[in-house]
Amino acid sequence: MARKTSSNARLDDAARAGWLYYVAGQTQDEIAAAMSISRQSAQRLVSLAVAEKLVKVRLDHPIAECLELASAVQQKFGLKQVEVVPTDPGSDASPTGIAEAGAAELERWLKKPEPLIIAMGTGRTLRAMIDQLSAMECPQHKIVSLTGNISPDGSAAYFNVIFSMADAVKAPHFPMPLPVIVSSKEERDLLHRQPLVAPTIALGQKSDVTFVGIGEITLNAPLLQDGFLKQAEMQALLNAGATGEICGWIFDAKGQLLDDPVNERVASMAIPSRDTSTVIGMARGKRKHAAILAAVTGGHINALITDEDAARFLL
């Protein structure tokens, strides 16, 4: 039998310590005694279990103020559902909170026995959500990507989530072998007609539930940072009133898609119909407030997971 590496053995110990602490409810002294280690070692192992995401903590109690904000936002914008999580006062950029809430919502859909088509956007928030997803087997569902999984340099896009999600839930998955933005409208139309792409687009348009991130349009926006747009193109979009984007589709402060050459080059499929799909937008942080407001005002989403500060801004 092959001997375990020291790193694997340490992760095993961390998992055991994490289980004893968070599930069995033992103290660090009790864990130290049970594992024949020092209290300091037990403390380090519990910390390692959290750092390596062997332990995922979710708060199973609705906070009254968050519930009230969610209800008010849902009523104001006519949304199907809204979830509001507490604001993390220490970070404006981290998806902490909404990633966990999104994972819990996605798991509720995945646990349904009837076959579903689940469409996924891309980005940092969704990537963080998939990292929080529990392992399960869901062969009855189909997962389809709304956006391309190719970076501008031809490499696999780091923040595309379909492969890591499919690996976690063991479901058939349908990627989009395209960049997010291509060189011209003609190229996009040609690519969308290809035998490897057209069936994926048709499948995505029939999705039962859709998860998308909401991106801001600034000179620090992900579309610029990840190389899909050049700085001059981003500045031109800002000059034209661009406020936010979903799957690369760029809209103004009223939520209207910009009549701009960049939108003609977006290779992502259209956001599925909000009449037939629950389209859940996920975003938090002050820098995204205007984009979130534009997304709900323009009807690009019909459900929302956000935080308290954003909810108050919407109201």
Side-chain angles (χ1 to χ4, degrees):
M1 182 181 293
R3 180 176 294 179
K4 289 183 180 180
T5 65
S6 59
S7 60
N8 285 341
R10 185 161 175 77
L11 285 179
D12 284 350
D13 288 342
R16 183 179 298 277
W19 189 92
L20 289 170
Y21 188 77
Y22 288 102
V23 180
Q26 294 191 10
T27 66
Q28 291 177 358
D29 287 329
E30 290 171 331
I31 295 169
M35 297 180 66
S36 300
I37 57 178
S38 68
R39 186 183 187 281
Q40 290 75 16
S41 294
Q43 184 179 22
R44 284 193 291 270
L45 286 173
V46 172
S47 298
L48 179 62
V50 175
E52 291 294 327
K53 297 181 179 176
L54 306 180
V55 174
K56 299 183 176 79
V57 179
R58 292 179 186 167
L59 183 66
D60 190 22
H61 179 80
I63 298 174
E65 188 172 4
C66 290
L67 287 174
E68 292 170 2
L69 288 168
S71 178
V73 170
Q74 182 175 352
Q75 183 175 3
K76 179 177 180 179
F77 294 98
L79 301 175
K80 283 187 175 182
Q81 62 187 71
V82 175
E83 182 165 0
V84 174
V85 303
T87 294
D88 176 6
S91 174
D92 186 58
S94 169
T96 299
I98 64 169
E100 289 80 1
E105 177 64 21
L106 178 54
E107 286 175 12
R108 282 192 282 271
W109 287 88
L110 288 168
K111 288 175 181 176
K112 294 187 177 185
E114 66 272 19
L116 299 174
I117 299 171
I118 301 172
M120 301 297 296
T122 189
R124 292 154 176 79
T125 299
L126 266 63
R127 176 66 181 255
M129 176 184 75
I130 298 306
D131 286 344
Q132 295 293 326
L133 200 60
S134 299
M136 60 182 74
E137 294 196 8
C138 308
Q140 73 275 31
H141 303 319
K142 293 179 180 179
I143 306 166
V144 59
S145 180
L146 294 177
T147 61
N149 57 312
I150 306 297
S151 293
D153 62 0
S155 62
Y158 179 75
F159 292 107
N160 190 282
V161 302
I162 190 169
F163 299 113
S164 53
M165 177 179 170
D167 185 57
V169 304
K170 304 297 185 291
H173 54 291
F174 300 81
M176 283 271 282
L178 304 173
V180 175
I181 297 175
V182 295
S183 60
S184 68
K185 178 182 183 298
E186 291 74 22
E187 181 185 7
R188 179 192 69 184
D189 294 343
L190 176 63
L191 290 170
H192 279 192
R193 292 194 295 268
Q194 297 305 303
L196 287 175
V197 178
T200 298
I201 294 176
L203 185 66
Q205 293 305 307
K206 296 187 291 185
S207 74
D208 298 287
V209 63
T210 302
F211 288 80
V212 295
I214 303 171
E216 75 277 17
I217 298 296
T218 68
L219 291 178
N220 292 315
L223 284 176
L224 184 61
Q225 291 182 353
D226 297 339
F228 293 108
L229 292 176
K230 296 181 174 61
Q231 186 160 348
E233 292 174 316
M234 184 62 76
Q235 187 61 62
L237 287 167
L238 289 169
N239 294 342
T243 300
E245 59 89 11
I246 294 177
C247 296
W249 296 104
I250 299 167
F251 44 85
D252 64 18
K254 295 181 179 179
Q256 297 177 340
L257 288 177
L258 283 187
D259 182 10
D260 187 275
V262 170
N263 269 342
E264 294 182 350
R265 295 162 42 209
V266 174
S268 305
M269 69 177 75
I271 300 170
S273 171
R274 275 67 76 197
D275 293 331
T276 56
S277 180
T278 299
V279 180
I280 303 172
M282 298 177 57
R284 68 164 295 270
K286 187 175 182 180
R287 61 192 174 86
K288 292 194 175 188
H289 284 180
I292 298 169
L293 177 59
V296 295
T297 301
H300 297 291
I301 59 175
N302 55 15
L304 178 65
I305 299 175
T306 191
D307 69 351
E308 292 172 290
D309 283 353
R312 292 190 184 97
F313 177 82
L314 294 176
L315 295 171

